[in-house]
Amino acid sequence: MDMLDSEQQKTTGHKSTRPETKFPLGRLSLQQPNKTSIMHFQLTEEHEMIRQAARDFAREELLPGVIERDDKQEFPRAQIKKLGELGFMGMMVSEKWGGAGMDTLSYVLVMEELSKIDASASVVVSVNNSLVCYGLDSYGSDYQKEKYLTPLASGECIGAFCLSEPEAGSDATSQRTTAVDMGDYYLLNGTKNWITNGINATYYLVMAQTDVEKGHKGINCLIVESGMPGFEKGAKENKMGIRGSDTCTLQFTDVKVPKENRIGEDGFGFKFAMKTLSGGRIGIAAQALGIAAGAYEFSKEYAKQRQAFGKPIANHQAIAFKLADMATRIEAARMLVYKAAWMKDQGMNYDQASSMAKLFASETAMWAATEAVQIHGGYGYVKEYHVERLMRDAKITQIYEGTSEVQRIVIGRSVLQG
């Protein structure tokens, strides 16, 4: 009997019918955490240096001309080359294969800073790092790493990841592209669409169905080189956002792909794609985080300068509350993204964490960009003030590398199995 029961019996003469609270394992005792606890919310000196380098690059190299590149749908070729020279195109690849040998958190920090200014440039970095280099580094043969990964990780070449088709978007198991085993080579036929870096890439990781009867277990991933006979690139898509990044349809007609260009064992393709996409979601989550943070930073500076009713609009509660909500949600998204990156670096299962990070960060990006336009008022509706571009760029983060609906499916399955 607890104290409340005792007092109730004294005053009423009746014992409480409230269920008794029990501690079958005894009361929990809290101990001081050790110094290896994961809850360190301070970046290392090395991480701070990497973030500052990315921030400086974004402001000095990406900001000038970003509006014009968006308007003309101009690929940031010179900027991508410089990013390669900085080691940002193969950040998590070992130096042996031309990479920078950094961790996932470093990659996330770079993605966040670049995306504050130019999401078109950052998505090129994301695809090359998260999907192409990661896939080759994790599952490729030494031959494939030497021939393909090394120039990709150094930034000498750009890669593309080819999964989506006209009939296979979110349902990646419904591959119509085929790769018929011809002995020494595969004969590749089919169409891939919505391919980021599709026009400017040199190497392509292409998912294709080798054995239809085996379903998703009959899918393989093949490395296709630009210029192979029968491989054609379609026109650039005229997109709402990330317009500086090139997206197109790819057509394969009797393309002969050498057997040594298959990644992993026969039938490994679908598993390869899913494992690679899980890491890719961290990159897009970081991109979404950067877009949201950029919208917030542009809005805060504007609100401090813009006068209304005799004072800066930042001093009006209506605007101050918007900024407060933006800062809070962005920080929550940042924690989810950083945690997913940390889990990946620790070798932990990060599938649920990456989906949560991508879902929340992308929803936050769209919301924060919309608020930014509202804070800017009429100025937010024109290109000069950047936030209308961020609003257009934000939308795709809710769609590519798994829509928000797909992320909820992944998270739902995970929590129900736990």
Side-chain angles (χ1 to χ4, degrees):
M1 183 183 300
D2 63 22
M3 184 176 294
L4 181 60
D5 287 341
S6 300
E7 292 301 317
Q8 184 173 4
Q9 194 166 9
K10 287 179 183 178
T11 56
T12 66
H14 298 287
K15 184 176 181 179
S16 171
T17 58
R18 183 167 54 85
E20 183 179 358
T21 302
K22 297 181 179 180
F23 297 90
L25 300 179
R27 293 184 180 274
L28 298 176
S29 60
L30 298 179
Q31 299 179 352
Q32 290 294 323
N34 59 46
K35 292 185 179 180
T36 60
S37 168
I38 68 168
M39 286 191 170
H40 293 299
F41 297 105
Q42 186 174 3
L43 296 174
T44 66
E45 184 177 349
E46 290 78 10
H47 285 136
E48 289 284 8
M49 290 174 60
I50 292 166
R51 180 166 68 175
Q52 190 60 51
R55 184 176 295 169
D56 291 343
F57 182 89
R59 293 174 178 173
E60 296 170 11
E61 300 288 344
L62 293 180
L63 185 58
V66 65
I67 295 174
E68 184 178 2
R69 290 194 301 275
D70 172 80
D71 189 49
K72 294 182 177 180
Q73 303 188 62
E74 181 181 321
F75 188 79
R77 193 177 310 279
Q79 291 80 2
I80 294 300
K81 181 179 179 181
K82 290 179 181 179
L83 285 166
E85 293 169 357
L86 285 172
F88 289 167
M89 295 301 286
M91 295 187 66
M92 298 167 285
V93 177
S94 69
E95 295 181 9
K96 177 182 178 180
W97 304 114
M102 301 182 195
D103 59 9
T104 312
L105 182 55
S106 298
Y107 163 60
V108 161
L109 294 171
V110 170
M111 280 295 299
E112 181 181 352
E113 292 301 325
L114 299 182
S115 302
K116 288 179 181 179
I117 303 298
D118 189 353
S120 293
S122 73
V123 75
V124 178
V125 174
S126 178
V127 169
N128 208 70
N129 274 280
S130 291
L131 300 182
V132 182
C133 286
Y134 172 78
L136 285 168
D137 192 33
S138 300
Y139 306 105
S141 66
D142 284 350
Y143 162 78
Q144 293 166 353
K145 291 178 182 180
E146 180 69 34
K147 184 174 182 180
Y148 300 113
L149 178 59
T150 300
L152 286 165
S154 65
E156 179 185 339
C157 297
I158 297 173
F161 185 84
C162 310
L163 178 64
S164 294
E165 299 181 2
E167 301 287 332
S170 295
D171 182 10
T173 60
S174 301
Q175 295 289 303
R176 299 289 180 88
T177 298
T178 60
V180 179
D181 191 340
M182 303 298 288
D184 293 336
Y185 63 91
Y186 287 100
L187 199 61
L188 183 65
N189 284 278
T191 303
K192 296 292 181 179
N193 63 348
W194 314 122
I195 305 304
T196 303
N197 301 344
I199 293 175
N200 285 280
T202 304
Y203 304 125
Y204 300 76
L205 303 188
V206 182
M207 310 309 141
Q209 189 81 54
T210 302
D211 191 333
V212 177
E213 293 183 357
K214 290 183 179 179
H216 72 278
K217 293 183 179 180
I219 295 173
N220 280 301
C221 178
L222 307 177
I223 305 170
V224 178
E225 300 178 21
S226 180
M228 281 184 168
F231 176 25
E232 297 181 2
K233 305 174 185 180
K236 182 189 297 184
E237 300 287 355
N238 188 9
K239 301 174 303 207
M240 174 195 294
I242 56 168
R243 289 167 58 83
S245 141
D246 62 302
T247 304
C248 72
T249 295
L250 305 177
Q251 184 69 44
F252 306 95
T253 306
D254 290 338
V255 179
K256 293 182 178 180
V257 184
K259 210 61 167 293
E260 58 264 30
N261 282 26
R262 185 189 72 202
I263 298 178
E265 298 296 322
D266 186 30
F268 181 65
F270 182 75
K271 190 174 183 180
F272 168 84
M274 294 302 101
K275 286 181 174 292
T276 304
L277 281 172
S278 187
R281 285 166 184 159
I282 297 176
I284 298 305
Q287 181 190 43
L289 170 63
I291 292 171
Y296 165 72
E297 291 178 8
F298 280 121
S299 297
K300 185 170 66 172
E301 289 306 308
Y302 177 82
K304 288 179 179 179
Q305 298 172 13
R306 173 67 171 170
Q307 297 276 331
F309 304 105
K311 58 183 177 181
I313 63 171
N315 293 343
H316 292 284
Q317 190 178 72
I319 301 302
F321 277 12
K322 285 183 181 295
L323 294 170
D325 287 343
M326 289 169 76
T328 302
R329 284 185 59 171
I330 290 167
E331 188 63 18
R334 183 173 288 116
M335 291 298 99
L336 283 171
V337 176
Y338 286 14
K339 180 186 176 184
W342 179 87
M343 290 178 71
K344 183 173 182 289
D345 286 332
Q346 300 304 309
M348 301 168 67
N349 186 324
Y350 58 91
D351 291 348
Q352 177 181 305
S354 65
S355 286
M356 285 183 169
K358 197 224 178 235
L359 172 64
F360 190 81
S362 63
E363 303 274 304
T364 298
M366 193 67 231
W367 169 82
T370 304
E371 288 289 80
V373 171
Q374 191 70 20
I375 289 170
H376 281 73
Y379 293 102
Y381 208 67
V382 297
K383 294 180 182 296
E384 180 184 353
Y385 285 78
H386 296 285
V387 291
E388 67 85 30
R389 185 185 75 257
L390 292 175
M391 185 177 179
R392 289 186 285 106
D393 289 346
K395 185 58 194 175
I396 193 59
T397 66
Q398 296 176 299
I399 298 172
Y400 59 14
E401 293 197 36
T403 64
S404 293
E405 290 74 21
V406 166
Q407 303 312 318
R408 288 184 169 94
I409 290 172
V410 173
I411 297 165
R413 287 175 179 169
S414 179
V415 298
L416 290 173
Q417 289 172 358

